[in-house]
């Protein structure tokens, strides 16, 4: 028995679930190992103290009362989680919907706001920013297209190189196997 096994055996001893064979193994080990013997004595003393303590009966309905309180806490916790999740989902939905409306109806909204006396100056100041965003979007699209084209060409070339290497390895293995068989025939 190893020292790390004794803890499991000590717990079984404390619970009164130890078999006769396990008790013998534990006894043999603690006679040889001082540390495990001290642990055993500690647990044994603790068991004796517990046995001397008076037993108290729980009041009638105690278990039911505790379980009801746990259930109430669980329901309250779930209720708070549901409220928070609802607020987050509602906020996300509102922001997503607003963003979708702005994306799909951007030009119509800008034309409408340009006609308004209060927003016309503000819309004119935004126009250069929108133009820059469109230019950046086009540059990004071109960059992505160039990357995809480069990746496609590289993978095509890479596949050709890989196919060549595979053929070379197969041919080399064929030659080596052929030589091995010829050598084996000579030795027979």
């Amino acid at each position: 028995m190893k020292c790390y096994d004794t803890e499991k055996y000590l717990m079984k001893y404390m619970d009164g679930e130890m078999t006769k064979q396990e008790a013998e193994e534990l006894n043999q080990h603690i006679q040889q190992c001082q540390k495990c013997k001290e642990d055993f004595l500690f647990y044994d003393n603790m068991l004796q103290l517990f046995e001397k303590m008076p037993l108290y009966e729980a009041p009638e309905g105690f278990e039911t009362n505790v379980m009801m309180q746990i259930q109430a806490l669980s329901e309250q916790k779930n209720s708070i989680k549901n409220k928070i999740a609802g607020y987050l989902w509602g906020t996300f939905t509102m922001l997503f919907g607003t963003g979708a409306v702005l994306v799909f109806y951007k030009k119509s909204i800008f034309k409408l706001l340009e006609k308004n006396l209060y927003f016309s100056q503000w819309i004119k100041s935004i126009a250069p920013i929108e133009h820059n965003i469109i230019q950046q979007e086009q540059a990004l699209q071109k960059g992505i297209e160039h990357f995809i084209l480069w990746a496609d060409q590289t993978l095509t070339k890479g596949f050709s190189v890989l196919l060549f290497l595979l053929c070379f390895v197969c041919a080399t293995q064929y030659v080596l196997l052929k030589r091995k068989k010829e050598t084996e025939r000579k030795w027979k």
Side-chain angles (χ1 to χ4, degrees), residues 92-104 109:
F92 170 76
T93 305
M94 187 177 70
L95 290 174
F96 183 78
T98 304
V101 166
L102 290 175
V103 167
F104 292 122
I109 292 171

Side-chain angles (χ1 to χ4, degrees), residues 3-155:
C3 289
Y4 55 83
D5 291 327
T6 59
E7 186 173 328
K8 178 177 69 171
Y9 280 59
L10 288 174
M11 291 302 120
K12 284 186 166 188
Y13 172 74
M14 295 275 296
D15 294 335
E17 298 174 352
M18 185 173 255
T19 65
K20 186 175 181 178
Q21 181 182 355
E22 290 170 339
E24 288 173 5
E25 290 176 21
L26 180 62
N27 190 28
Q28 288 175 359
H29 181 76
I30 63 175
Q31 287 179 10
Q32 298 170 0
C33 179
Q34 184 61 32
K35 183 195 174 301
C36 293
K37 183 176 185 176
E38 290 172 4
D39 289 345
F40 174 78
L41 291 173
F42 173 79
Y43 285 121
D44 190 50
N45 287 335
M46 193 183 321
L47 262 180
Q48 290 175 15
L49 286 173
F50 284 142
E51 288 174 359
K52 291 178 183 175
M53 292 176 74
L55 292 177
Y56 294 100
E57 284 290 322
E60 190 175 318
F62 178 77
E63 183 180 353
T64 306
N65 188 19
V66 169
M67 295 307 289
M68 287 174 46
Q69 289 178 8
I70 291 172
Q71 181 67 27
L73 287 174
S74 177
E75 289 173 1
Q76 182 182 9
K77 184 178 177 183
N78 288 336
S79 173
I80 291 170
K81 282 183 181 179
N82 289 340
K83 284 181 183 179
I84 292 172
Y87 291 141
L88 290 174
W89 184 249
T91 303
F92 170 76
T93 305
M94 187 177 70
L95 290 174
F96 183 78
T98 304
V101 166
L102 290 175
V103 167
F104 292 122
Y105 299 106
K106 175 177 63 175
K107 289 183 181 179
S108 302
I109 292 171
F110 277 156
K111 285 181 183 179
L112 183 67
L113 290 175
E114 280 178 347
K115 293 177 185 177
N116 188 309
L117 178 64
Y118 298 107
F119 292 107
S120 62
Q121 189 64 31
W122 180 68
I123 293 298
K124 289 177 184 174
S125 68
I126 289 179
I129 296 171
E130 181 188 9
H131 181 69
N132 287 340
I133 291 172
I134 291 171
Q135 286 179 338
Q136 289 175 1
E137 179 185 4
Q138 291 170 348
L140 183 63
Q141 273 184 324
K142 286 181 184 178
I144 290 172
E145 288 170 2
H146 287 299
F147 174 76
I148 291 172
L149 183 62
W150 172 82
D152 185 45
Q153 291 172 350
T154 303
L155 289 174

